[in-house]
Amino acid sequence: MSGKRSGNRREYIIREAREGDLPELVDFLAKLALHVSGAPPHELKQSEYKRLLRTLHTALDDPNKRLVVAEHHTAGLVGMGYVYIWRSQGIWEQSESVEYKSGIIDDIWVEPEFRRMGIFKALLRELVTFAEAHHASELILEYSASNKEAKEAWTRLGFKPTGVRAAAFTSSVSQALAGNQR
Ligand SMILES: CC(C)(COP(=O)(O)OP(=O)(O)OC[C@H]1O[C@@H](n2cnc3c(N)ncnc32)[C@H](O)[C@@H]1OP(=O)(O)O)[C@@H](O)C(=O)NCCC(=O)NCCS
């Protein structure tokens, strides 16, 4: 557990998530999805709410997953972060049988009123400590190209784009291919 002190008071702590936190964490995930899509506020379907609750629940007692929260001393939960360890084997006959481990970072959210206070970095410290303890030699994540604050925060920590995820409407690809027919 870690935290930030102001005077004699601890403003927030970073700790492992508990079962009782999960409903609030699902709300954070819903806000994150709206933030990424740029859509106006929506209510989650009950089925989706339950699915997310189940997914987060699997992180609580899986030794390869770490779900952490930032808890403010008066406001309660104000942020979350998640990492899991992904294992892969070398694919070439000539190479020794080596297992590579990566830390996949996902679901980072800090409540808007609590941003620019270092909470993201405090969450990240916990996730990176976990990845290091599992000998994960690299950290991988995705953020959308339009997410300016995510780009800023990740770039400052040394993350660089390593690929491009592209999307197009099926109908427009179909039209483009029809136009290219010889
Ligand atoms: C991205 C996000 C997690 C950052 O959280 P935060 O607690 O405000 O970040 P911190 O205060 O720890 O700042 C981390 C660094 O990023 C910089 N930063 C954060 N937000 C920024 C912004 N909007 N513009 C420019 N720089 C920014 C900070 O200055 C700081 O840099 P420094 O280390 O050089 O001082 C937060 O804005 C957020 O929850 N956004 C919506 C959800 C999201 O995009 N999640 C990430 C998806 S991958």
Side-chain angles (χ1 to χ4, degrees), residues 30-31 34-35 37-44:
K31 290 185 206 177
L34 289 172
H35 176 77
S37 69
H42 277 62
E43 284 283 310
L44 273 183

Side-chain angles (χ1 to χ4, degrees), residues 63-65 83-87 101-104 130-131 134 136:
N64 290 304
K65 299 177 179 175
V83 66
Y84 64 92
I85 305 300
W86 181 64
R87 294 175 161 76
K101 291 186 196 163
S102 308
I104 313 290
F130 181 81
H134 283 76

Side-chain angles (χ1 to χ4, degrees), residues 108-110 115-118 120-121 147 149 152 156:
I108 306 272
W109 176 263
V110 176
R115 290 184 188 162
R116 310 300 292 264
M117 291 169 49
F120 163 82
K121 279 167 57 177
N147 192 344
E149 69 263 38
E152 198 61 46
R156 281 167 195 246

Side-chain angles (χ1 to χ4, degrees), residues 11-139:
E11 278 181 13
Y12 62 83
I13 56 163
I14 306 293
R15 62 165 173 80
E16 205 168 345
R18 303 192 276 255
E19 189 156 0
D21 300 326
L22 298 187
E24 218 167 325
L25 300 191
V26 173
D27 288 344
F28 288 171
L29 291 184
K31 290 185 206 177
L32 178 59
L34 289 172
H35 176 77
V36 170
S37 69
H42 277 62
E43 284 283 310
L44 273 183
K45 283 183 183 158
Q46 265 304 307
S47 56
E48 183 58 9
Y49 178 87
K50 285 184 184 155
R51 188 188 70 79
L52 289 172
L53 209 52
R54 276 197 305 274
T55 306
L56 288 178
H57 203 275
T58 66
L60 295 184
D61 35 38
D62 185 327
N64 290 304
K65 299 177 179 175
R66 178 98 167 154
L67 181 60
V68 294
V69 296
E71 183 172 29
H72 189 266
H73 72 108
T74 54
L77 298 188
V78 295
M80 70 181 287
Y82 175 53
V83 66
Y84 64 92
I85 305 300
W86 181 64
R87 294 175 161 76
S88 59
Q89 302 290 332
I91 61 169
W92 307 114
E93 282 292 357
Q94 294 85 343
S95 63
E96 291 167 37
S97 96
V98 195
E99 187 181 61
Y100 299 100
K101 291 186 196 163
S102 308
I104 313 290
I105 295 179
D106 208 356
D107 301 335
I108 306 272
W109 176 263
V110 176
E111 286 285 71
E113 318 85 85
F114 294 89
R115 290 184 188 162
R116 310 300 292 264
M117 291 169 49
I119 293 182
F120 163 82
K121 279 167 57 177
L123 288 163
L124 250 281
R125 272 183 211 109
E126 290 288 319
L127 302 184
V128 171
T129 301
F130 181 81
E132 279 177 331
H134 283 76
H135 309 289
S137 55
E138 73 174 348
L139 300 169

